Amino acid sequence: MSDPQMKVVIVTPEIPYNTGAIGRTCVALGLELILIKPLGFSLDEKAVRRSGTTYWQHVQLTEYDDWQSFLDDRKPAREALHFFEEHGAQSFYEPDYPQDGYLVFGCESKGLPETILGGMEDRVFNLPMRNPVVRSLNLANTATAVIYQAMRSQLGG
């Protein structure tokens, strides 16, 4: 039996460079990348491969047609789901992330839809911003910061 593995989920990503960069981070840390369709680009596009450099072929990638298909297949425990939004009530520093948890991010322009977040308010986290001029960070930057925080204990931090 293999060790529990954290997973990164992106719901309806729009920008191939962000997805490629997140895929590269997943490869570096041995994480699965789950994409929820529709995608705003083709996975065959040069942009995804370019931002993932030569690593894209090593991404442990799973795709689902929609959020419900993901839930039906994976059946994640509620406490394993961690959603990240600029208006999350809690800081991403607060939770203890399970080794087999799901780190869930929304698309670049709209974030996560209310149909996913409804009833999950206690599972929604934000990255603190010290300057109110900045509402949010780039999706790839946010995901990388979250992933490293979530894996801190596994990485010796």
Side-chain angles (χ1 to χ4, degrees), residues 18-84:
N18 285 330
T19 300
I22 294 167
R24 184 176 184 165
T25 300
C26 288
V27 171
L29 297 172
L31 306 180
E32 178 182 5
L33 176 60
I34 299 171
L35 301 180
I36 308 295
K37 295 176 184 178
L39 308 181
F41 51 87
S42 165
L43 288 177
D44 295 335
E45 286 184 25
K46 289 188 295 189
V48 175
R49 290 192 307 272
R50 188 178 313 128
S51 57
T53 321
T54 58
Y55 304 103
W56 189 251
Q57 65 187 359
H58 301 289
V59 174
Q60 183 184 342
L61 180 65
T62 305
E63 297 174 69
Y64 288 96
D65 288 332
D66 52 47
W67 181 251
Q68 190 59 52
S69 298
F70 161 74
L71 292 177
D72 292 344
D73 183 55
R74 296 296 178 111
K75 299 175 181 41
R78 188 178 196 281
E79 58 275 3
L81 293 168
H82 294 82
F83 301 94
F84 300 92

Side-chain angles (χ1 to χ4, degrees), residues 74-135:
R74 296 296 178 111
K75 299 175 181 41
R78 188 178 196 281
E79 58 275 3
L81 293 168
H82 294 82
F83 301 94
F84 300 92
E85 277 292 319
E86 64 185 77
H87 299 296
Q90 304 170 74
S91 167
F92 82 125
Y93 290 116
E94 293 182 35
D96 291 323
Y97 297 93
Q99 288 187 1
D100 61 349
Y102 293 85
L103 308 175
V104 185
F105 303 89
C107 72
E108 292 86 347
S109 67
K110 299 175 198 151
L112 289 162
E114 187 56 37
T115 55
I116 291 175
L117 294 177
M120 300 295 261
E121 291 77 14
D122 62 314
R123 310 297 311 150
V124 183
F125 303 90
N126 70 68
L127 270 70
M129 302 287 166
R130 294 180 75 184
N131 187 334
V133 172
V134 178
R135 285 186 312 119

Side-chain angles (χ1 to χ4, degrees), residues 128-144:
M129 302 287 166
R130 294 180 75 184
N131 187 334
V133 172
V134 178
R135 285 186 312 119
S136 62
L137 298 173
N138 170 279
L139 178 61
N141 295 339
T142 298
T144 298

